[in-house]
Amino acid sequence: MAISRRKFLGCITAALGTTTGAGALAHAASNKDFTGYPDSFGVLHDSTKCIGCRKCEQACNEVNSLAKPGKPFDDLTVLDQKRRTGEASYTIVNKFGNPPVFAKTQCNHCQEPACASACFVKALKKDPSGAVTYDESLCVGCRYCMVACPFNIPAYTYNDPLTPKVTKCTMCLPRIKEGKLPGCVEICPREALIFGKRDKLVTLAWEKIDRNPDHYFKHLYGEHEMGGTSWLYLSQVPFTKIGMREDLGVTSAPKLTSGALGAVPIIVGLWPVLLTGVYAISKRKEKIAEEEQESAVQNAKDLASQEMKDQLLKLSKKMTKEKETAIANGVKKALVEVEEAAKKAEQAAADAAEDATNPETTSDDSEKEEE
């Protein structure tokens, strides 16, 4: 159903009127200082121990029942190209430099997640366990989380038009609740991944750095970046050399975006109106596409019909020509036969006339018959 410009502006005015108060509340709430849950879990990734075997990728794929990749997990040629996480790959390993250094990438499960602060329907939340969880039933598909994430992690199932969703590492929260290790941690053959309470992992990491100052770059990535993350990293080289950002600072996303997020409830109020417009546009596109498809099918039918008619006409002309040629040949043959018959008849008549005008020949013949 079409909507007039006046009616559309009226809907916007009504939506603005109902969300002004909520906007002020949201602005205040977004300034809240939150540094993560106490006793939350985390994972320490020691990249100096990683051998790039991709076992963690395989375990993640199996634990989360993801689609199998085009190449098997024991095919290490994929490491020759830099990859990123996707809808069917919650974690990936990349190779850097020569001699090679390997680093694992997945959701870092920030203490104060940018994705959660950008999600106005609270589909993404920070769980007391340390994991950043995702509720598919609440998601409206705005994909603000993908834009907000400084680590470029969340992916979207664009190939699923009926039930699209945001995908990322879950930190294997269902397994953690069962008392199990995350799949990638459990399978790692070199113990490059250590699971435990985040505060204890921070202490362990600095003990490693202090004991081996020549082996480790003196920095624990994730301790303070963007307010801190649940995944922590050790490296032998500066983290920029293994594809990690060092320009993020230590301020959390909610503090950086508190002013901008104050307008989020207005977006919430406008969402039904905007969705109505999007739905109308989508249906219009579908109708146009359907009409174009029907027109294309009809054109194809007409073209095929015309081609068939042309072929039949050519065949008819060919048969008519062949028939006319056959008739002409038959007539010509008959005329030749008639002409030959006429010549034979004339010859016979001439012979008979000659016999009649020669009595001697006739008499001799009679005498011979009497003898």
Side-chain angles (χ1 to χ4, degrees), residues 31-353:
N31 277 326
K32 182 179 177 181
D33 186 18
F34 177 72
T35 56
Y37 290 100
D39 298 325
S40 63
F41 293 104
V43 177
L44 174 62
H45 173 40
D46 188 344
S47 65
T48 67
K49 292 186 176 183
C50 182
I51 59 175
C53 64
R54 300 184 65 205
K55 292 290 185 183
C56 55
E57 293 186 30
Q58 180 178 355
C60 179
N61 181 275
E62 293 173 355
V63 166
N64 293 287
S65 301
L66 303 177
K68 298 298 180 183
K71 294 183 178 180
F73 290 104
D74 58 2
D75 185 349
L76 302 185
T77 60
V78 299
L79 298 175
D80 294 335
Q81 295 182 340
K82 186 176 180 180
R83 299 173 296 148
R84 60 151 292 178
T85 56
E87 61 181 81
S89 52
Y90 295 175
T91 186
I92 53 96
V93 176
N94 278 315
K95 180 173 66 174
F96 302 90
N98 188 21
V101 178
F102 303 96
K104 179 180 180 296
T105 302
Q106 72 296 302
C107 173
N108 287 318
H109 299 276
C110 303
Q111 296 288 79
E112 299 181 77
C115 59
S117 67
C119 183
F120 57 84
V121 294
K122 304 301 180 185
L124 288 157
K125 295 180 182 178
K126 180 69 173 180
D127 188 80
S129 67
V132 176
T133 62
Y134 169 70
D135 187 345
E136 180 182 349
S137 66
L138 297 177
C139 182
V140 296
C142 69
R143 301 186 288 281
Y144 291 162
C145 56
M146 297 174 65
V147 178
C149 179
F151 303 107
N152 195 28
I153 293 298
Y156 194 70
T157 56
Y158 291 100
N159 294 328
D160 185 0
L162 298 179
T163 57
K165 62 182 179 181
V166 173
T167 63
K168 70 174 192 65
C169 163
T170 65
M171 208 162 111
C172 285
L173 183 57
R175 290 175 60 88
I176 293 175
K177 290 181 177 180
E178 294 175 1
K180 300 178 181 178
L181 293 172
C184 59
V185 176
E186 185 176 69
I187 201 173
C188 183
R190 292 293 300 273
E191 296 184 353
L193 300 170
I194 303 173
F195 177 81
K197 295 295 180 64
R198 183 182 184 276
D199 55 352
K200 293 183 178 180
L201 292 177
V202 171
T203 301
L204 174 63
W206 280 108
E207 288 177 353
K208 284 175 170 282
I209 295 173
D210 293 338
R211 284 199 307 266
N212 300 280
D214 297 331
H215 184 67
Y216 291 106
F217 181 68
K218 196 173 182 178
H219 179 64
L220 176 60
Y221 193 96
E223 183 180 9
H224 300 297
E225 275 77 9
M226 292 297 294
T229 62
S230 295
W231 278 75
L232 306 165
Y233 299 84
L234 290 173
S235 173
Q236 194 170 15
V237 298
F239 288 96
T240 53
K241 292 187 177 181
I242 56 174
M244 302 179 74
R245 296 181 61 179
E246 290 188 346
D247 61 340
L248 298 175
V250 298
T251 305
S252 65
K255 290 181 182 178
L256 292 172
T257 59
S258 59
L261 290 177
V264 165
I266 295 178
I267 299 175
V268 176
L270 290 176
W271 195 253
V273 177
L274 296 177
L275 281 182
T276 300
V278 171
Y279 178 77
I281 293 172
S282 175
K283 296 302 290 183
R284 174 61 180 164
K285 287 183 177 179
E286 290 177 3
K287 184 177 180 180
I288 292 174
E290 184 178 351
E291 290 175 351
E292 289 178 348
Q293 183 178 2
E294 291 178 355
S295 177
V297 171
Q298 187 59 47
N299 289 339
K301 288 182 177 178
D302 294 343
L303 181 60
S305 178
Q306 186 60 44
E307 288 181 354
M308 184 179 293
K309 289 179 180 179
D310 292 342
Q311 292 294 331
L312 289 174
L313 181 59
K314 289 180 181 179
L315 182 60
S316 176
K317 289 181 178 180
K318 182 179 179 181
M319 293 178 66
T320 300
K321 186 175 181 180
E322 291 177 351
K323 184 178 179 181
E324 290 175 350
T325 302
I327 292 172
N329 291 336
V331 170
K332 184 177 180 180
K333 184 178 179 181
L335 290 175
V336 171
E337 292 176 351
V338 169
E339 185 177 356
E340 290 178 352
K343 288 181 179 179
K344 289 180 180 181
E346 288 177 359
Q347 184 61 43
D351 292 343

